[in-house]
Amino acid sequence: MKETERSLFVSPYNEAVLGRHPDRKVRIFDTTLRDGEQTPGVALSTRDKLQIAQVLDDLGVDSIEAGFPVNSPGEFEAVKAIADAGLKAKICALNRCNQADLDASIKAEVDEAHVFIATSDIHLTHKLRMSREQVLEKAVWAVDYARAHGLVVEYSAEDATRTDIGFLKQVIRKVEEAKADRFDVADTVGSITPEAMRYIVRELRSVSRIPIAVHCHNDFGLATANSLAAVDAGAEQVHVTVNGIGERAGNASLEEVVMGLHAFFGITTGIDTTKLMLASKLVSRLTGITVQPNKAIVGDNAFAHESGIHVHGILGDASTYEPIRPDVVGRDRKIVVGKHTGVHSVESRLKEYGFGLTKEQLGMVTQRVKKLAEDGKQVDDAELLALAYDVQGKSVEGQRPIRLEEFTAITGFNFTPTATISLIVDGEKRRTSETGVGPIDAALKAMRSAVSKGITLDEFRLEAITGGSDSLCQVTVRLGDKEPAPVSAIGRAVGPDIVTTSVDAAMEALNRLLWAKAQIGPAGGPRARNG
Ligand code: KIV
Ligand code: ZN
């Protein structure tokens, strides 16, 4: 097979050491809506939860843990709505080992009950104040009760990874006898290593045939590694969340674990990996938890290349610096120009716009890009195009095709934030109104619909420069468009009012974007111009 036809380029030592497991199927148990929602500060409405559940279903997860129904009427309503939504995935709900919890799940008409009780001496002594016998009794009772009501039952040994192995083996045998469908090893405080996780799973497998799941937290940054190690040792299911959100440092991330299973073991899951980015973006938007730029698979920089040496390699064959082909996970490759740029990056970016500069001109653009970056400026596509014109001795005038004529925004309690904007676009007046989650969202939507729906808001950053309610803020807005060729432009503004400052920044980005688009011309090549 030609290198370029392959999509994964991982180390050959993985296969040599781990072997391939093409016949194994691992279940993906998604807990974004339960453990993910336990991320400090996150609270999802029923509507948000339904939207996420739909995307998880499209993604192909096997189980969706929709919530903890006994927690509140709102939580119950959300779980019930998801259970009633007719999704393909099995809908699961969380329960302690007591009747009130299980009755709420039964009433919510979920398919699966996830019942848990801690098994470690730390939890038994300091939290539950129960004996091991009492814990065993409760676990077995909960499995029996859920089964008697027709539910598939998964039992989780909370804090399993800090539990005495002899007792854990006793627990797995008891819940297997009670006919639980799955046994989950919870690494509740993310405190185990891959080797030790392998040991636990093998020990449990030696005394029981019940399918084993793992639930790994990320306190030491090992959640993905521990989940993969558990599968290597025989686990049949992994608990994951989109973007790895969850209690404290979060849970094992769905995108990392799934790609690891596919790439390192050749194990298939039901996940359509091309939808991973879509799911990540939705969860980030609805939870308000931004994804760190260097996050594996879904971070902004996961497929971005700046250094000259890397870009040179990538342009020869992407396998040199990309272990995963970006389209496999629903992404595009990004060649970024900046301080570490080489002439190859500049040449390839400008070629996308149909610019063929001489070697000398390319060298000049590269030097100027580096200088701008060293002076702290982010060099976007609009800037790069301006430099390309400049080194050719061509004019770069006329960068403001749009003028803001009027802007109002109204917001308040029990009122849908609405913004109205009047723009002069190439001499023509355009007036639009939009609603949004807040006045800034409404304003930016109104601006984009006045100009072109194809324009995307790729980045929005708001920082307070000084303290206090009258503080100055700095807003950065990055807009993009795919037509006539992928192009992006950044705008920045500083001011005391976050709404009008955001509009100022967006106006700058919009003007620079339109200017850049006009330079490219409709066919993706540079517009012919004189001088
Ligand atoms: O982290 C944990 O132990 C849990 C249990 C409910 C499985 O989330
Ligand atoms: Zn957890």
Side-chain angles (χ1 to χ4, degrees):
M1 191 188 290
K2 279 207 319 232
E3 287 291 271
T4 42
E5 285 168 8
R6 288 174 45 202
S7 55
L8 298 166
F9 303 91
V10 294
S11 163
Y13 296 106
N14 297 313
E15 191 169 338
V17 174
L18 302 168
R20 302 288 284 176
H21 309 255
D23 302 329
R24 278 181 68 192
K25 166 110 173 62
V26 169
R27 287 190 95 247
I28 303 299
F29 180 102
D30 183 276
T31 181
T32 306
L33 297 176
R34 199 278 297 170
D35 218 328
E37 206 208 12
Q38 286 173 223
T39 304
V42 172
L44 295 164
S45 66
T46 296
R47 210 170 105 200
D48 294 344
K49 281 196 160 196
L50 265 170
Q51 222 182 322
I52 293 175
Q54 184 63 62
V55 165
L56 291 172
D57 200 46
D58 290 344
L59 198 57
V61 305
D62 296 284
S63 291
I64 294 173
E65 188 168 39
F68 186 24
V70 82
N71 182 52
S72 69
E75 181 90 353
F76 175 85
E77 178 201 283
V79 175
K80 174 96 179 82
I82 294 170
D84 290 346
L87 303 179
K88 295 182 291 299
K90 298 289 176 211
I91 307 305
C92 183
L94 182 70
N95 307 268
R96 288 161 298 185
C97 292
N98 68 50
Q99 188 172 344
D101 286 26
L102 281 161
D103 284 346
S105 291
I106 293 161
K107 197 164 157 208
E109 297 184 287
V110 294
D111 307 299
E112 303 183 338
H114 177 193
V115 298
F116 77 98
I117 189 164
T119 49
S120 70
D121 287 341
I122 297 181
H123 278 236
L124 266 61
T125 311
H126 302 296
K127 185 183 79 172
L128 298 174
R129 297 184 200 290
M130 284 167 73
S131 66
R132 290 182 175 183
E133 290 66 37
Q134 286 170 312
V135 162
L136 266 181
E137 200 179 304
K138 279 211 149 229
V140 168
W141 175 86
V143 173
D144 274 346
Y145 190 79
R147 274 189 58 81
H149 288 84
L151 295 169
V152 166
V153 195
E154 174 160 337
Y155 165 77
S156 271
E158 189 188 13
D159 209 19
T161 53
R162 293 190 297 176
T163 299
D164 168 63
I165 193 71
F167 181 51
L168 201 58
K169 284 176 163 172
Q170 218 182 322
V171 180
I172 197 171
R173 279 199 301 255
K174 283 279 179 212
V175 298
E176 185 176 24
E177 269 166 40
K179 300 212 166 14
D181 296 279
R182 302 187 289 263
F183 180 89
D184 177 50
V185 177
D187 185 24
T188 302
V189 294
S191 65
I192 201 163
T193 60
E195 272 315 305
M197 180 58 102
R198 272 194 187 86
Y199 167 79
I200 292 186
V201 173
R202 284 185 186 135
E203 285 296 304
L204 294 176
R205 185 46 80 238
S206 72
V207 295
S208 163
R209 295 313 311 156
I210 184 173
I212 294 176
V214 281
H215 175 103
C216 298
H217 278 274
N218 205 29
D219 299 66
F220 281 84
L222 289 173
T224 297
N226 288 333
S227 304
L228 295 176
V231 170
D232 185 41
E236 284 101 336
Q237 179 180 273
V238 282
H239 285 206
V240 289
T241 61
V242 174
N243 298 337
I245 60 169
E247 286 274 1
R248 304 181 311 281
N251 289 59
S253 113
L254 182 151
E255 54 280 2
E256 292 173 16
V257 173
V258 165
M259 289 313 296
L261 291 173
H262 291 201
F264 303 138
F265 303 112
I267 286 181
T268 48
T269 65
I271 300 295
D272 176 352
T273 59
T274 62
K275 295 185 175 154
L276 286 172
M277 194 58 202
L278 201 91
S280 163
K281 280 207 178 308
L282 179 77
V283 168
S284 171
R285 183 164 64 77
L286 295 182
T287 58
I289 305 292
T290 49
V291 172
Q292 69 192 61
N294 57 330
K295 163 92 177 57
I297 319 289
V298 293
D300 258 6
N301 294 346
F303 296 93
H305 309 274
E306 182 184 307
S307 95
I309 296 167
H310 284 216
V311 172
H312 188 203
I314 287 281
L315 294 175
D317 193 300
S319 63
T320 50
Y321 289 103
E322 275 176 0
I324 303 170
R325 222 178 51 208
D327 59 294
V328 170
V329 291
R331 311 265 337 237
D332 291 321
R333 177 173 307 126
K334 240 190 341 186
I335 305 287
V336 178
V337 293
K339 181 181 164 188
H340 307 100
T341 283
V343 87
H344 296 290
S345 317
V346 171
E347 187 179 18
S348 108
R349 292 298 281 127
L350 288 175
K351 253 196 193 144
E352 277 180 50
Y353 302 133
F355 279 75
L357 300 192
T358 65
K359 225 173 161 181
E360 195 193 346
Q361 287 168 334
L362 283 171
M364 279 158 66
V365 174
T366 308
Q367 286 318 312
R368 286 174 65 178
V369 164
K370 283 172 176 283
K371 176 79 179 74
L372 283 170
E374 271 166 9
D375 292 344
K377 182 149 193 203
Q378 210 174 330
V379 184
D380 59 13
D381 299 329
E383 190 73 48
L384 187 66
L385 285 164
L387 290 174
Y389 274 116
D390 200 44
V391 298
Q392 290 176 302
K394 293 176 180 169
S395 149
V396 287
E397 292 303 308
Q399 291 205 24
R400 298 202 81 78
I402 299 189
R403 197 160 48 77
L404 177 67
E405 205 187 48
E406 186 197 327
F407 165 65
T408 50
I410 317 171
T411 189
F413 294 114
N414 301 321
F415 184 84
T416 307
T418 308
T420 302
I421 208 148
S422 217
L423 299 174
I424 307 291
V425 183
D426 292 330
E428 175 205 333
K429 182 166 170 161
R430 296 191 197 166
R431 193 180 155 83
T432 45
S433 293
E434 288 282 352
T435 57
V437 294
I440 297 176
D441 184 42
L444 299 195
K445 276 187 186 152
M447 283 174 85
R448 282 180 288 147
S449 43
V451 180
S452 157
K453 295 251 189 224
I455 295 173
T456 52
L457 174 63
D458 295 340
E459 186 183 338
F460 177 86
R461 235 173 329 117
L462 171 67
E463 288 144 297
I465 297 180
T466 51
S469 59
D470 60 349
S471 71
L472 279 179
C473 68
Q474 173 170 298
V475 178
T476 307
V477 171
R478 184 157 55 88
L479 298 175
D481 202 339
K482 292 246 183 280
E483 298 297 333
V487 64
S488 73
I490 294 169
R492 268 196 200 92
V494 173
D497 176 327
I498 57 169
V499 181
T500 54
T501 309
S502 301
V503 169
D504 282 345
M507 278 301 297
E508 192 196 336
L510 199 53
N511 267 308
R512 300 184 72 238
L513 185 79
L514 293 191
W515 176 84
K517 276 163 64 77
Q519 310 317 304
I520 300 166
R527 251 190 219 296
R529 51 168 67 219
N530 299 320

